[in-house]
Structure formats: structure tokens, C-alpha cells
Amino acid sequence: MKIIDVIASPGLTGFYFDDQLAIKSGVEHDGFTYLGEPKTPGFKAVRQRGESISVMLILEDGQVASGDCAAVQYSGAGGRDPLFLAEDFIPIILGEIAPKLVGQELDSFRKLVELVENSQRENGERYHTAIRYGVSQAILDGVAKAQRKTMTEVILEEYELPMVLEPVPIFTQTGDDRYENADKAIIKRAGVLPHALINNVETKLGKDGELLLDYVNWLRNRIMTLGGDDYRPILHIDVYGTIGLAFEDNVERMVEYFIQLEKAADPLHLRIEGPMDAGSLEGQIEQLKALRVALKARGVKVEIVADEWCNTYEDIVKFVDAQAADMVQIKTPDLGGIQNTIEAVIYAKKYGVGAYVGGSCNETDSGGRTAVHVSLAARPDQMLAKPGMGVDEGYMIVHNEMNRTLAVLKRVRETRSRRVN
């Protein structure tokens, strides 16, 4: 089955592009948007609509395989590629990517994605991570359609992974509506929650961490009250480096604060993502590792999750090799081709580091569904409900795709077993 054409269309994402640098500097909320001037190159406002590009592969038999190019909410921050706008990149996809794919046989996902992943433009630069991300989704979908299999099966076979017929825990994020949306996640019995978007010291963390501590206390009590005796999710909170800012990157002070957080969360297990932002890859690895070692020395079981400066497959390898974090977020759009996410999960698990197939609220339904197939095959510790910040929509997309796929895979296994017998 060959690709006979490539077409593209502009789209919207499930959230917005936010200028993280401006938000951290303390710009004010104005309804759903922000006041003040943007600080990150490419932004025309602190918050602007998220954009995507749907890439569609036309197959010989008339089938259409698709994937969505999308970038993360905080584009241009923490070493990431710049803002991704549809009008800027559709001409590149049609003019430079399409000729590489038209006429290709859809016989190997891993072979085809390399045609784009490692290509360079005339100026010597690689294609934007969002392009590589969306095109790889379309290729995976195309190979699955050509072989009449699920995307999960394609990954299992090409990476020689075992089929496991169990769901992967889903991590829901509340956005700024961290109380009402936490209720939604609890009612839906999400495996991991709430993210909570703690991205400002004064208004969300507290200058001594008191606001987050109060929130963890509330969250723990709310889960016990609303969730019942048989519901014990993992608490995972992203603090965007604000703990480091509040405690001046002093490891001893941060450890004492983590002890307070652990007591507030008990008996629930707690993960803290991005406790500090050192401003560079090397600095982040060094500081995260120092904090992790100090926490273990004090017997604190709160886990540290790496996010900022842990953007590419190569970055993830460095964090894992240094044992700098208990878990790495594998932020799918930042890694480019989806094959890098697969390989990052495999690598982290091999060396005993937790793997979290993340991504962004600023993706699309296509990215969410593809991440399900990656997760069911590669088996990370958790995956993100995406896109959006409303809990319901993203959780529905990911949860339903996971259950549909598990039902199909179960039937595949039963059919094979009957044939053997």
C-alpha cells in the first residue's frame, strides 16, 4: 500500500499558547486572558489561540491516514521550539515533507518516520518538532490502515514488545480551576490528578509554600470524602520551578517543605513535577539530582518528576543516566516524531526511572488517541488525559480510546489462541 498524496488543513488545539516567561513575571489575569506585554519571541499576546495542522496521507485504496501537528502550551520556553502557527508551516509541509512521502510503501513505521525525523532543511535546521510529531502520527496511522491492524499492534510488532491487556493510569489536569475540576477527576476516578498549574509563587504556591500546602490538605480530604474507601489516586502536582524560587533553591529548605507536603497528602502518594528551573539542561540535572538524593536521605517518599529542560529523547537519556528524577515526563510534541516517545519510555523503564507519556493541553484529539496506542504498547507508568483543561473532554477521549483498543486487542488474542488450538 503506497502513499499517493499528502494534504494538510489548519486546525485549532484543545487549549491556548501561553507566554510562560510573562506569566512567571507576574502579569495579571483579565477574565480568561492576561494583561501585559508578551516576553517570549513570536507571541503577539500573553495568551493566544492554539493552532494545529492536520496532515493527511491519501492511500492507494482511498483510505485517509491522519495526524495532527501541534506544539505545547508553553512554546518557546525551557529550550523548546518556537511558536507554531499554521500559516507559517503548511507551506513547509506541502512543499518539503510531501515529496519525501509520496510514492513510499507503507510497510514499516520505523523506516518511514526517519525520512522526516532526521532530514534537514536547506538552512541546516531540523523540521519543527510539531511537524515531526504530526507527520509521524499520520505515518503510524497509515501503516496500521495498510496492515489492517491497530496502531498498538504495529508498535508491539516493530519494537518486539509484549501485549499487556491492562489499562495505563490516566493523569488528568485541572488547569487554574483546581478545585471544581479536581472534583470532576475524583468523580471519574482518574488514576492520577490534579496537575493544578502552580505556576506563580505569590498567587498559587505562597511565598513560604503555604497556598500549595493548603491545597494539598484540601485535595486529600476531598478525595477521602468524595472518592470513597476504595479510591486512592496518585497526587501529581506541577509547580513550574516555583518551589525553587520561593526557597531560593536551598535544598535543605526544600526538603523540609517536601516533608510537610508528604504529611498533608498522606496516605496518598505524591509526585512533584518541576520543583525548580535551573535555566539550563546541565543545571537542571544537577539540582534535581541533589534534591532527590537529599529527599531519599531523609526518607521522604515524594517523587520528583523532570519536565523543564527534559525535552528531547537525548535530554531524557541524560536525566535517566544521571538518575536525576524518579520520573521523566516524555512530553510528546517536544520529542518530535512519536517513535522518540516510544523509545524514551523503553529507555526509562530499562534503567528503573518512571515514565510518564505526557504532552500538552494544547494538543488535539488525534494526539491524545495516538498517545493511547503508544502507551498501551510501551507501558509507561501513566499517560496524560489530553487535550484541554476541562477534565471531561480529554479524559473521555483517552479513556474511551484505551478501552476500545483493549477490547479489540483482547479479541485479537482470543482469535489467535483459537487458531493455535
Side-chain angles (χ1 to χ4, degrees):
M1 185 76 68
K2 290 184 178 181
I3 302 168
I4 63 170
D5 200 6
V6 177
I7 59 178
S9 64
L12 297 177
T13 62
F15 203 65
Y16 300 81
F17 289 125
D18 284 347
D19 183 347
Q20 188 185 81
L21 187 60
I23 293 170
K24 279 189 173 182
S25 72
V27 292
E28 295 182 28
H29 267 290
D30 177 23
F32 187 68
T33 188
Y34 292 92
L35 298 174
E37 296 297 318
K39 295 181 179 294
T40 300
F43 279 80
K44 295 181 179 178
V46 177
R47 170 165 284 172
Q48 59 191 74
R49 74 176 192 175
E51 299 186 15
S52 65
I53 299 172
S54 293
V55 177
M56 291 157 278
L57 310 181
I58 311 302
L59 280 53
E60 280 184 300
D61 64 353
Q63 292 188 90
V64 180
S66 66
D68 284 354
C69 305
V72 298
Q73 174 188 7
Y74 296 116
S75 290
R80 299 184 180 100
D81 275 3
L83 200 64
F84 184 76
L85 301 178
E87 67 176 3
D88 295 335
F89 290 97
I90 285 180
I92 295 173
I93 292 170
L94 297 181
E96 300 180 29
I97 302 295
K100 300 178 188 294
L101 298 178
V102 172
Q104 294 290 338
E105 193 76 40
L106 284 160
D107 56 358
S108 169
F109 164 69
R110 298 179 74 175
K111 180 184 74 176
L112 286 176
V113 290
E114 291 303 319
L115 297 176
V116 178
E117 184 68 23
N118 294 319
S119 294
Q120 291 185 340
R121 305 191 65 200
E122 291 184 358
N123 60 8
E125 295 180 355
R126 298 175 74 185
Y127 290 102
H128 195 292
T129 48
I131 290 178
R132 290 182 269 140
Y133 182 47
V135 171
S136 69
Q137 292 174 39
I139 291 172
L140 179 58
D141 187 30
V143 172
K145 283 182 165 62
Q147 297 181 1
R148 301 185 183 278
K149 297 175 181 174
T150 63
M151 290 187 282
T152 302
E153 291 170 277
V154 171
I155 298 168
L156 289 172
E157 291 175 11
E158 294 203 20
Y159 287 87
E160 298 181 344
L161 299 170
M163 182 186 293
V164 179
L165 298 179
E166 295 291 336
V168 172
I170 298 172
F171 175 28
T172 58
Q173 53 182 341
T174 63
D176 277 324
D177 196 359
R178 61 188 59 81
Y179 291 92
E180 186 171 303
N181 278 348
D183 277 0
K184 293 180 181 180
I186 295 166
I187 292 169
K188 290 183 182 292
R189 305 183 78 77
V192 189
L193 71 153
H195 187 276
L197 201 67
I198 308 298
N199 58 7
N200 184 276
V201 173
E202 292 185 6
T203 62
K204 298 178 182 179
L205 183 85
K207 63 183 180 65
D208 295 312
E210 70 278 2
L211 297 180
L212 177 57
L213 194 61
D214 288 345
Y215 177 67
V216 172
N217 268 301
W218 174 87
L219 187 62
R220 181 260 184 203
N221 291 335
R222 192 64 171 165
I223 289 169
M224 296 302 174
T225 302
L226 192 59
D229 294 337
D230 61 343
Y231 178 58
R232 295 293 182 267
I234 291 172
L235 303 186
H236 182 137
I237 296 174
D238 192 348
V239 299
Y240 295 91
T242 55
I243 291 177
L245 290 173
F247 296 98
E248 299 177 323
D249 289 333
N250 183 295
V251 171
E252 185 175 339
R253 291 177 63 198
M254 286 192 284
V255 169
E256 293 298 328
Y257 181 58
F258 271 65
I259 291 172
Q260 294 180 60
L261 289 173
E262 184 175 46
K263 290 179 180 177
D266 186 65
L268 304 176
H269 184 63
L270 177 63
R271 292 176 181 145
I272 296 293
E273 181 174 341
M276 79 285 288
D277 186 343
S280 69
L281 172 62
E282 295 76 14
Q284 190 75 348
I285 289 174
E286 181 181 349
Q287 290 191 24
L288 277 183
K289 184 172 183 178
L291 178 58
R292 185 177 185 233
V293 169
L295 288 169
K296 289 187 178 300
R298 293 286 299 274
V300 182
K301 295 180 181 179
V302 178
E303 291 185 319
I304 295 174
V305 183
D307 180 11
E308 264 68 36
W309 302 102
C310 188
N311 299 326
T312 66
Y313 173 79
E314 292 77 15
D315 294 343
I316 289 166
V317 168
K318 290 178 181 178
F319 275 87
V320 170
D321 287 351
Q323 296 288 295
D326 299 286
M327 174 177 281
V328 288
Q329 179 181 179
I330 301 164
K331 189 165 282 189
T332 49
D334 285 340
L335 270 73
I338 200 72
Q339 75 280 4
N340 295 321
T341 293
I342 299 167
E343 291 167 13
V345 173
I346 293 171
Y347 192 86
K349 290 175 62 180
K350 180 179 179 181
Y351 293 100
V353 174
Y356 155 34
V357 171
S360 176
C361 54
N362 193 50
E363 292 191 53
T364 70
D365 57 320
S366 175
R369 290 196 304 272
T370 303
V372 168
H373 292 273
V374 168
S375 298
L376 286 176
R379 308 301 305 179
D381 296 273
Q382 65 188 45
M383 71 160 295
L384 184 66
K386 56 186 181 179
M389 285 285 201
V391 175
D392 298 314
E393 300 84 358
Y395 191 85
M396 173 194 67
I397 289 168
V398 169
H399 180 270
N400 291 357
E401 182 74 7
M402 189 176 296
N403 282 355
R404 280 191 296 263
T405 305
L406 286 170
V408 171
L409 293 176
K410 182 178 180 181
R411 183 180 183 278
V412 168
R413 174 171 282 183
E414 290 172 350
T415 301
R416 289 176 180 170
S417 178
R418 286 196 296 268
R419 287 174 181 171
V420 170
N421 297 329

PDB file of all heavy atoms in Angstrom, residues 335-350:
ATOM      1  N   LEU A 335       9.237  15.983  21.657  1.00  0.00           N
ATOM      2  CA  LEU A 335      10.182  14.974  21.177  1.00  0.00           C
ATOM      3  C   LEU A 335      10.177  14.825  19.665  1.00  0.00           C
ATOM      4  O   LEU A 335      10.977  14.071  19.112  1.00  0.00           O
ATOM      5  CB  LEU A 335       9.902  13.608  21.819  1.00  0.00           C
ATOM      6  CG  LEU A 335      10.643  13.359  23.135  1.00  0.00           C
ATOM      7  CD1 LEU A 335      10.044  14.168  24.269  1.00  0.00           C
ATOM      8  CD2 LEU A 335      10.653  11.886  23.487  1.00  0.00           C
ATOM      9  N   GLY A 336       9.260  15.515  18.975  1.00  0.00           N
ATOM     10  CA  GLY A 336       9.173  15.340  17.532  1.00  0.00           C
ATOM     11  C   GLY A 336       8.425  14.066  17.198  1.00  0.00           C
ATOM     12  O   GLY A 336       7.328  13.827  17.690  1.00  0.00           O
ATOM     13  N   GLY A 337       9.005  13.232  16.366  1.00  0.00           N
ATOM     14  CA  GLY A 337       8.348  12.007  15.933  1.00  0.00           C
ATOM     15  C   GLY A 337       7.925  11.137  17.108  1.00  0.00           C
ATOM     16  O   GLY A 337       8.648  11.006  18.106  1.00  0.00           O
ATOM     17  N   ILE A 338       6.737  10.528  16.988  1.00  0.00           N
ATOM     18  CA  ILE A 338       6.184   9.734  18.084  1.00  0.00           C
ATOM     19  C   ILE A 338       7.060   8.522  18.399  1.00  0.00           C
ATOM     20  O   ILE A 338       7.015   7.968  19.504  1.00  0.00           O
ATOM     21  CB  ILE A 338       4.735   9.308  17.738  1.00  0.00           C
ATOM     22  CG1 ILE A 338       3.962   8.911  19.011  1.00  0.00           C
ATOM     23  CG2 ILE A 338       4.698   8.187  16.718  1.00  0.00           C
ATOM     24  CD1 ILE A 338       3.603  10.076  19.874  1.00  0.00           C
ATOM     25  N   GLN A 339       7.907   8.104  17.454  1.00  0.00           N
ATOM     26  CA  GLN A 339       8.827   6.998  17.721  1.00  0.00           C
ATOM     27  C   GLN A 339       9.795   7.354  18.847  1.00  0.00           C
ATOM     28  O   GLN A 339      10.254   6.473  19.589  1.00  0.00           O
ATOM     29  CB  GLN A 339       9.582   6.600  16.448  1.00  0.00           C
ATOM     30  CG  GLN A 339      10.698   7.534  16.013  1.00  0.00           C
ATOM     31  CD  GLN A 339      10.190   8.751  15.275  1.00  0.00           C
ATOM     32  OE1 GLN A 339       8.988   8.969  15.131  1.00  0.00           O
ATOM     33  NE2 GLN A 339      11.107   9.548  14.756  1.00  0.00           N
ATOM     34  N   ASN A 340      10.116   8.628  18.993  1.00  0.00           N
ATOM     35  CA  ASN A 340      11.012   9.044  20.078  1.00  0.00           C
ATOM     36  C   ASN A 340      10.352   8.865  21.443  1.00  0.00           C
ATOM     37  O   ASN A 340      11.019   8.548  22.425  1.00  0.00           O
ATOM     38  CB  ASN A 340      11.427  10.498  19.879  1.00  0.00           C
ATOM     39  CG  ASN A 340      12.265  10.691  18.629  1.00  0.00           C
ATOM     40  OD1 ASN A 340      13.101   9.862  18.303  1.00  0.00           O
ATOM     41  ND2 ASN A 340      12.027  11.773  17.920  1.00  0.00           N
ATOM     42  N   THR A 341       9.047   9.077  21.503  1.00  0.00           N
ATOM     43  CA  THR A 341       8.319   8.827  22.750  1.00  0.00           C
ATOM     44  C   THR A 341       8.363   7.347  23.101  1.00  0.00           C
ATOM     45  O   THR A 341       8.607   6.972  24.253  1.00  0.00           O
ATOM     46  CB  THR A 341       6.859   9.300  22.618  1.00  0.00           C
ATOM     47  OG1 THR A 341       6.831  10.725  22.503  1.00  0.00           O
ATOM     48  CG2 THR A 341       6.028   8.882  23.813  1.00  0.00           C
ATOM     49  N   ILE A 342       8.120   6.497  22.111  1.00  0.00           N
ATOM     50  CA  ILE A 342       8.175   5.048  22.339  1.00  0.00           C
ATOM     51  C   ILE A 342       9.535   4.647  22.894  1.00  0.00           C
ATOM     52  O   ILE A 342       9.646   3.944  23.909  1.00  0.00           O
ATOM     53  CB  ILE A 342       7.883   4.286  21.034  1.00  0.00           C
ATOM     54  CG1 ILE A 342       6.481   4.618  20.510  1.00  0.00           C
ATOM     55  CG2 ILE A 342       8.055   2.778  21.234  1.00  0.00           C
ATOM     56  CD1 ILE A 342       6.242   4.165  19.078  1.00  0.00           C
ATOM     57  N   GLU A 343      10.582   5.118  22.245  1.00  0.00           N
ATOM     58  CA  GLU A 343      11.939   4.727  22.637  1.00  0.00           C
ATOM     59  C   GLU A 343      12.333   5.324  23.981  1.00  0.00           C
ATOM     60  O   GLU A 343      13.081   4.705  24.750  1.00  0.00           O
ATOM     61  CB  GLU A 343      12.916   5.122  21.532  1.00  0.00           C
ATOM     62  CG  GLU A 343      12.717   4.289  20.264  1.00  0.00           C
ATOM     63  CD  GLU A 343      13.442   4.841  19.053  1.00  0.00           C
ATOM     64  OE1 GLU A 343      14.296   5.732  19.234  1.00  0.00           O
ATOM     65  OE2 GLU A 343      13.154   4.381  17.929  1.00  0.00           O
ATOM     66  N   ALA A 344      11.809   6.516  24.300  1.00  0.00           N
ATOM     67  CA  ALA A 344      12.104   7.127  25.594  1.00  0.00           C
ATOM     68  C   ALA A 344      11.473   6.336  26.731  1.00  0.00           C
ATOM     69  O   ALA A 344      12.080   6.160  27.795  1.00  0.00           O
ATOM     70  CB  ALA A 344      11.622   8.570  25.607  1.00  0.00           C
ATOM     71  N   VAL A 345      10.240   5.869  26.539  1.00  0.00           N
ATOM     72  CA  VAL A 345       9.587   5.045  27.561  1.00  0.00           C
ATOM     73  C   VAL A 345      10.394   3.767  27.791  1.00  0.00           C
ATOM     74  O   VAL A 345      10.666   3.388  28.934  1.00  0.00           O
ATOM     75  CB  VAL A 345       8.141   4.689  27.152  1.00  0.00           C
ATOM     76  CG1 VAL A 345       7.538   3.690  28.138  1.00  0.00           C
ATOM     77  CG2 VAL A 345       7.274   5.936  27.077  1.00  0.00           C
ATOM     78  N   ILE A 346      10.760   3.126  26.708  1.00  0.00           N
ATOM     79  CA  ILE A 346      11.526   1.879  26.813  1.00  0.00           C
ATOM     80  C   ILE A 346      12.838   2.117  27.556  1.00  0.00           C
ATOM     81  O   ILE A 346      13.240   1.332  28.424  1.00  0.00           O
ATOM     82  CB  ILE A 346      11.785   1.292  25.408  1.00  0.00           C
ATOM     83  CG1 ILE A 346      10.457   0.842  24.770  1.00  0.00           C
ATOM     84  CG2 ILE A 346      12.772   0.129  25.474  1.00  0.00           C
ATOM     85  CD1 ILE A 346      10.574   0.460  23.307  1.00  0.00           C
ATOM     86  N   TYR A 347      13.514   3.226  27.244  1.00  0.00           N
ATOM     87  CA  TYR A 347      14.813   3.520  27.867  1.00  0.00           C
ATOM     88  C   TYR A 347      14.663   3.808  29.356  1.00  0.00           C
ATOM     89  O   TYR A 347      15.408   3.269  30.186  1.00  0.00           O
ATOM     90  CB  TYR A 347      15.468   4.714  27.172  1.00  0.00           C
ATOM     91  CG  TYR A 347      16.919   4.901  27.564  1.00  0.00           C
ATOM     92  CD1 TYR A 347      17.935   4.221  26.890  1.00  0.00           C
ATOM     93  CD2 TYR A 347      17.284   5.735  28.620  1.00  0.00           C
ATOM     94  CE1 TYR A 347      19.264   4.369  27.255  1.00  0.00           C
ATOM     95  CE2 TYR A 347      18.607   5.893  28.993  1.00  0.00           C
ATOM     96  CZ  TYR A 347      19.597   5.205  28.309  1.00  0.00           C
ATOM     97  OH  TYR A 347      20.920   5.346  28.676  1.00  0.00           O
ATOM     98  N   ALA A 348      13.685   4.640  29.716  1.00  0.00           N
ATOM     99  CA  ALA A 348      13.483   4.975  31.129  1.00  0.00           C
ATOM    100  C   ALA A 348      13.178   3.722  31.948  1.00  0.00           C
ATOM    101  O   ALA A 348      13.743   3.520  33.041  1.00  0.00           O
ATOM    102  CB  ALA A 348      12.363   6.002  31.272  1.00  0.00           C
ATOM    103  N   LYS A 349      12.284   2.881  31.432  1.00  0.00           N
ATOM    104  CA  LYS A 349      11.916   1.659  32.152  1.00  0.00           C
ATOM    105  C   LYS A 349      13.117   0.719  32.309  1.00  0.00           C
ATOM    106  O   LYS A 349      13.272   0.073  33.345  1.00  0.00           O
ATOM    107  CB  LYS A 349      10.779   0.954  31.419  1.00  0.00           C
ATOM    108  CG  LYS A 349       9.449   1.681  31.496  1.00  0.00           C
ATOM    109  CD  LYS A 349       8.389   1.000  30.640  1.00  0.00           C
ATOM    110  CE  LYS A 349       8.121  -0.407  31.103  1.00  0.00           C
ATOM    111  NZ  LYS A 349       7.083  -1.067  30.262  1.00  0.00           N
ATOM    112  N   LYS A 350      13.955   0.664  31.298  1.00  0.00           N
ATOM    113  CA  LYS A 350      15.127  -0.214  31.334  1.00  0.00           C
ATOM    114  C   LYS A 350      16.041   0.136  32.502  1.00  0.00           C
ATOM    115  O   LYS A 350      16.651  -0.745  33.117  1.00  0.00           O
ATOM    116  CB  LYS A 350      15.893  -0.108  30.012  1.00  0.00           C
ATOM    117  CG  LYS A 350      17.137  -0.978  29.942  1.00  0.00           C
ATOM    118  CD  LYS A 350      17.830  -0.834  28.590  1.00  0.00           C
ATOM    119  CE  LYS A 350      19.092  -1.678  28.518  1.00  0.00           C
ATOM    120  NZ  LYS A 350      19.784  -1.508  27.199  1.00  0.00           N
TER     121      LYS A 350
END
